[in-house]
Amino acid sequence: MKHHASDAHTLAAAYALGALGPDERKDFNAHLQACEACRQEAAEFEATAARLAAAVAQPPHASAKSQVMAAIDGVRQLPPRVPSTTSAPALGSILRRRALPLALAASVAAAALGGVALWQAENGQDLKQQARQARQRLDEVSTVLAAPDARTVHGRAANGALTTVVASDRQNKAVFTAANLPAPGAGQTYQLWLAHDGTMRPAGLINHDGTIVLTGNPADAGAVGLTLEPAGGSPQPTTDPLLLMTLPT
């Protein structure tokens, strides 16, 4: 599939997740040589996807391999898939145009849900509850990332953390992602804020790299802030902002 030059800037997420075809990846590699913004964005996506996977990954049970190997003989081989001549090109075009939200949502879902069936059976109700909660969080994140009106802004905190906010007025939600976020220190936590007409309203806590859905409605918020607060958070910021990202209208 051929792209206009302006389309190349939308492929950083798909590139970072290995979702481009050989020719597209070759073209995008050439584009990266001349585009510093895309080089940084692709690196941020790679770091974020790795940290999201690490945050939700669960080690398989010791018996998982033997269970899978024992079940292989009883699994029927499926016939080869014949690609559709009508729907596949249209779908490929849509996915590439929406590379940022769909590719990132897919990577989060794959990381969190891979192998759930195996370790649920071994570890009982606690892990089933964890799996349900993980699915709910992923559903929330994916809904925002895939929203037609999703808008994205990138930033860098004073402590070096790379951050991304994706907000959707239609969903009344915003997703915050941090990479390279230093440990907050004993008795402290990072707190997120939504700025409404000069008033900072609490929007959630984050202690390490990862992705969270902000609490509160971002529809009329002008910016997202990040401060270092005492453990448990504060009703109002007690320190200077490490980050204040203006939300795009």
Side-chain angles (χ1 to χ4, degrees):
M1 179 178 295
K2 295 183 178 179
H3 297 276
H4 296 293
S6 60
D7 292 338
H9 299 289
T10 68
L11 299 179
Y15 173 85
L17 296 170
L20 297 181
D23 292 340
E24 291 170 324
R25 188 171 185 87
K26 180 180 178 181
D27 291 343
F28 192 74
N29 273 322
H31 171 73
L32 287 179
Q33 302 302 313
C35 184
E36 182 178 355
C38 283
R39 287 200 301 272
Q40 179 175 346
E41 188 170 25
E44 291 173 0
F45 277 126
E46 289 173 343
T48 299
R51 285 172 171 82
L52 288 172
V56 296
Q58 293 287 343
H61 191 274
S63 63
K65 180 177 180 179
S66 60
Q67 291 176 354
V68 172
M69 298 303 293
I72 286 177
D73 290 339
V75 177
R76 179 183 177 184
Q77 183 173 352
L78 296 175
R81 292 184 177 182
V82 178
S84 170
T85 59
T86 57
S87 61
L91 178 59
S93 176
I94 292 171
L95 287 177
R96 285 174 175 80
R97 290 187 187 122
R98 300 295 306 284
L100 165 60
L102 295 180
L104 184 54
S107 71
V108 178
L113 299 181
V116 165
L118 284 175
W119 54 256
Q120 273 189 348
E122 295 292 335
N123 295 276
Q125 293 300 319
D126 288 345
L127 288 181
K128 289 182 180 180
Q129 179 64 24
Q130 291 178 24
R132 284 193 292 268
Q133 292 172 350
R135 288 192 182 97
Q136 291 171 359
R137 291 194 299 269
L138 291 171
D139 286 344
E140 280 192 285
V141 171
S142 300
T143 298
V144 176
L145 297 179
D149 66 335
R151 58 194 195 277
T152 304
V153 61
H154 303 287
R156 183 185 295 271
N159 57 12
L162 301 175
T163 61
T164 298
V165 174
V166 181
S168 167
D169 290 344
R170 181 176 296 185
Q171 299 298 325
N172 293 327
K173 292 178 181 177
V175 170
F176 178 88
T177 296
N180 300 325
L181 189 65
Q188 294 181 307
T189 187
Y190 292 109
Q191 186 162 358
L192 293 158
W193 308 87
L194 286 171
H196 294 268
D197 296 325
T199 300
M200 303 297 285
R201 299 178 182 174
L205 305 176
I206 185 168
N207 290 316
H208 48 72
D209 291 351
T211 296
I212 68 169
V213 177
L214 300 184
T215 58
N217 186 349
D220 59 347
V224 173
L226 178 71
T227 62
L228 191 60
E229 301 293 335
S234 305
Q236 294 293 328
T238 63
T239 61
D240 293 335
L242 296 168
L243 174 78
L244 194 61
M245 298 170 64
T246 301
L247 289 175
T249 57

